[in-house]
Amino acid sequence: MAHDEPVLTARAGRTAHLILNRPRALNALTHPMVRTIDEALAVWEGDDDVTAVVISGAGDRGLCAGGDIRVIHEDTRTGAGVSPAFWRDEYRLNVRIARYPKPYVALMDGIVMGGGVGVSAHGSVRIVTERSAVAMPETAIGLVPDVGGTYLLSRAPGELGTHLALTGQTFGAADALLCGLADHFVPSDRLGALRAALAGPEVREAADVRETVRRYATTAPEGRLDTDREWIDDCYPAGSVEEIIDRLRGNGAPAAKDAAETLLTRSPTALKATLVAVRRARRTATLEQVIDQEYRASCAALTFPDLQEGIRARVIDKDRRPRWSPKELAEVTDADVARFSAPPPGGDLGLGAP
């Protein structure tokens, strides 16, 4: 394949490789990239000469910074309606990865955010490094965490997932391991040797892949969230976003007050919809059912002004001064929040249907 393609595929031994190849755009996902990945995985699933799949990102900045939100911004501006089709294929890909019958090795080196979490953290062998910067930052642009993010975060210990979903806080290797979004820590300078080992003639079965990764894995540097568990678990069970913020402000920990200040910069509508989504995901049995709900939420976000405004402030004008509408949490109605759970005009995704 030509080296300027946005997704490169390769074979080394019995290992197939997917390389996200838009380094200048932090390997942000486009609709054609999603289709290419899905098609490659379908072919390799039926290929007896492929033992495992490895996904990585080109360049030295990260695996993937998420979906190409400039395209979503243009969609909100023009009303072209292309985003639901992208999400349908992206979310189906996330489920394919989660159910993939062969080891799916995700090298979560550098930036791994949003859609980047979707193509990595659902894999069966997830590797973080000292450079890993993982986040689901959707509330900062007027979205609810998607790509199965509410499913993953709802399964994190205590209220850690609620905290990460609402704030969009970036976390490193140890915290990704703690929250269940990663399995192994491998120093970044050993990834090349790991790739070579996975291509070796002795790697012929799934068990060989897992054993090879374990040989290169070591203990991650200390994270932050384990220390913060006390105030997070105390503040986030509150009944509303407003009460969570009050508890955070009243807590003695400086980090709790910082979290409150962060929440006050996020889309009020997205915050309230996200709290509902994470708590519902915790009660929902399967990834497919949760992603069905996330699809509803993403389609609903297209009808609210905060999505266009959030992307403008973060990516287009980069002034980091979004003008949310409504501006205050108290102005977000129950009817507004309910719209994020309603079937979209084009119909449901239907992954979790009986």
Side-chain angles (χ1 to χ4, degrees):
M1 181 177 285
H3 290 292
D4 59 353
E5 293 291 329
V7 178
L8 304 179
T9 60
R11 294 277 289 273
R14 297 174 66 87
T15 301
H17 287 266
L18 288 164
I19 304 167
L20 307 183
N21 189 38
R22 298 182 68 211
R24 294 178 64 182
L26 283 171
N27 300 318
L29 292 171
T30 64
H31 202 165
M33 291 171 70
V34 166
R35 290 196 185 109
T36 298
I37 296 167
D38 191 69
E39 290 165 3
L41 290 177
V43 170
W44 292 332
E45 183 174 340
D47 188 339
D48 291 340
D49 289 330
V50 172
T51 297
V53 175
V54 176
I55 187 167
S56 61
D60 58 3
R61 298 173 66 190
L63 172 66
C64 175
D68 193 336
I69 58 175
R70 289 178 179 271
V71 175
I72 298 174
H73 181 268
E74 183 68 9
D75 196 19
T76 62
R77 193 181 66 81
T78 64
V82 300
S83 296
F86 167 64
W87 286 324
R88 278 182 172 269
D89 287 345
E90 183 184 25
Y91 299 170
R92 289 180 185 278
L93 172 63
N94 300 146
V95 171
R96 179 188 286 279
I97 291 167
R99 307 301 181 210
Y100 206 62
K102 299 179 180 183
Y104 180 97
V105 183
L107 303 184
M108 301 169 69
D109 185 38
I111 293 172
V112 186
M113 297 183 179
V117 172
V119 297
S120 59
H122 294 297
S124 54
V125 184
R126 304 161 301 174
I127 296 169
V128 283
T129 77
E130 78 285 353
R131 293 163 21 96
S132 294
V134 185
M136 293 299 297
E138 282 75 14
T139 58
I141 60 167
L143 265 176
V144 173
D146 64 343
V147 300
T150 61
Y151 179 87
L152 293 167
L153 293 176
S154 73
R155 269 72 179 165
E159 293 292 330
L160 293 181
T162 311
H163 168 66
L164 295 173
L166 291 177
T167 63
Q169 176 182 312
T170 300
F171 50 100
D175 292 331
L177 292 163
L178 172 64
C179 291
L181 273 72
D183 306 298
H184 304 281
F185 173 80
V186 176
S188 59
D189 61 5
R190 303 189 74 185
L191 291 180
L194 172 59
R195 285 191 187 94
L198 289 171
E202 68 278 7
V203 178
R204 304 191 60 81
E205 299 178 356
D208 300 328
V209 174
R210 299 178 192 280
E211 178 57 33
T212 299
V213 171
R214 280 193 289 268
R215 288 205 312 269
Y216 285 83
T218 185
T219 302
E222 187 176 353
R224 291 177 49 188
L225 291 179
D226 200 32
T227 303
D228 292 343
R229 276 289 301 276
E230 184 175 354
W231 62 261
I232 288 174
D233 287 350
D234 179 59
C235 295
Y236 281 92
S240 67
V241 177
E242 292 95 326
E243 188 180 348
I244 288 171
I245 291 173
D246 287 343
R247 288 192 186 186
L248 290 168
R249 283 174 155 173
N251 190 282
K257 293 181 172 59
D258 290 344
E261 294 306 310
T262 296
L263 291 177
L264 291 171
T265 70
R266 301 317 195 213
S267 160
T269 303
L271 285 176
K272 289 203 168 185
T274 296
L275 183 61
V276 169
V278 172
R279 289 182 173 172
R280 180 176 55 222
R282 190 178 291 162
R283 303 188 303 269
T284 304
T286 70
L287 172 65
E288 287 84 351
Q289 291 170 321
V290 173
I291 285 186
D292 280 346
Q293 289 293 333
E294 290 179 347
Y295 179 72
R296 290 183 172 191
S298 295
C299 291
L302 290 171
T303 69
F304 284 85
D306 280 3
L307 181 55
Q308 181 177 343
E309 175 61 14
I311 298 174
R312 178 206 65 77
R314 282 266 167 174
V315 176
I316 307 302
D317 297 336
K318 299 181 180 179
D319 59 20
R320 300 294 178 110
R321 298 173 64 181
R323 298 180 290 272
W324 304 124
S325 178
K327 183 178 179 181
E328 303 294 338
L329 283 161
E331 298 171 348
V332 180
T333 68
D334 291 343
D336 289 335
V337 177
R339 283 169 58 188
F340 285 82
S341 300
D348 277 326
L349 189 56
L351 288 173

